[in-house]
Amino acid sequence: AQSVTQPDIHITVSEGASLELRCNYSYGATPYLFWYVQSPGQGLQLLLKYFSGDTLVQGIKGFEAEFKRSQSSFNLRKPSVHWSDAAEYFCAVGAIDSNYQLIWGAGTKLIIKP
Amino acid sequence: EAEVAQSPRYKITEKSQAVAFWCDPISGHATLYWYRQILGQGPELLVQFQDESVVDDSQLPKDRFSAERLKGVDSTLKIQPAELGDSAMYLCASQRSGTAGGYEQYFGPGTRLTVT
């Protein structure tokens, strides 16, 4: 069955430090992968997506993610976090054979220490 | 930049009352989704529309929830009667098409429902 795992429920990072949020997926075919961010009380905003091609994708707000097929992973990274990056981050995989629906991870809450 | 519109942003209702949420997707987006999100969890799909047709409502509690998209544009999600367990964020998302390249979903700001 298709699934997305975000192993870290919470991550605390100091402002200015680097960040990596983990995402592992289980999907039989070539996946379409997404990272979304959600600020408290808000909707979800697309950070970046991977469909094909270069496995390192750049997104908005200085984020990037790397697709590693051998590890079934799509980890999100940022070299230097800002206090405004505090939010919940969701990884999702697109399922072409399920009406193009997205399978969602449970999310990782990012806490920024001053 | 075009956005998905939702209203109201907040709704407080009493148990057993009816409540309705409205969503206007990005112009030209044929696919529309309604999600429910419990605090601290990922979105849970309730219903998916392609134009005015329901593609998937397998997770919609049909004894109390209904959704429609009569003209294939905006959509309404209704709960009647509301129960305490319905307290959640209700999110609407739209998608340009069901084909690769138009795969990403764009979300509205959501409606925070509190049932008392």
Side-chain angles (χ1 to χ4, degrees), chain A residues 9 27 32 34 36 38-46 49 51 88 90 93-107, chain B residues 9-10 31 33 35 37 40-45 48 55-56 89 91 95 97-110 112:
Chain A
I9 299 174
Y27 185 59
Y32 297 92
F34 305 85
Y36 284 82
Q38 187 177 33
S39 297
Q42 301 297 317
L44 283 81
Q45 181 182 21
L46 179 66
K49 60 188 179 186
F51 287 163
E88 186 117 28
F90 292 93
V93 61
I96 295 177
D97 53 358
S98 296
N99 298 312
Y100 298 92
Q101 295 172 6
L102 296 184
I103 311 300
W104 295 89
Chain B
R9 290 292 311 275
Y10 306 93
T31 306
Y33 301 85
Y35 290 94
Q37 187 181 29
Q41 299 181 16
E44 170 197 11
L45 179 67
Q48 177 188 3
V55 174
D56 185 355
M89 175 77 91
L91 295 164
Q95 185 181 57
S97 72
T99 58
Y103 215 131
E104 60 266 35
Q105 296 180 20
Y106 296 89
F107 284 79
R112 168 68 66 188

Side-chain angles (χ1 to χ4, degrees), chain B residues 36-57:
Chain B
R36 177 169 59 188
Q37 187 181 29
I38 306 297
L39 192 63
Q41 299 181 16
E44 170 197 11
L45 179 67
L46 292 174
V47 61
Q48 177 188 3
F49 288 94
Q50 179 73 23
D51 300 309
E52 67 276 7
S53 300
V54 173
V55 174
D56 185 355
D57 63 357

Side-chain angles (χ1 to χ4, degrees), chain A residues 34-107:
Chain A
F34 305 85
W35 275 99
Y36 284 82
V37 60
Q38 187 177 33
S39 297
Q42 301 297 317
L44 283 81
Q45 181 182 21
L46 179 66
L47 280 177
L48 47 78
K49 60 188 179 186
Y50 172 78
F51 287 163
S52 64
D54 192 346
T55 57
L56 184 63
V57 293
Q58 302 298 319
I60 62 171
K61 304 185 179 188
F63 285 92
E64 66 177 27
E66 186 171 12
F67 170 56
K68 293 185 177 180
R69 183 185 302 275
S70 61
Q71 298 177 19
S72 297
S73 69
F74 189 55
N75 294 348
L76 182 70
R77 301 194 294 248
K78 187 170 184 177
S80 176
V81 299
H82 185 262
W83 64 266
S84 60
D85 293 324
E88 186 117 28
Y89 292 80
F90 292 93
C91 180
V93 61
I96 295 177
D97 53 358
S98 296
N99 298 312
Y100 298 92
Q101 295 172 6
L102 296 184
I103 311 300
W104 295 89

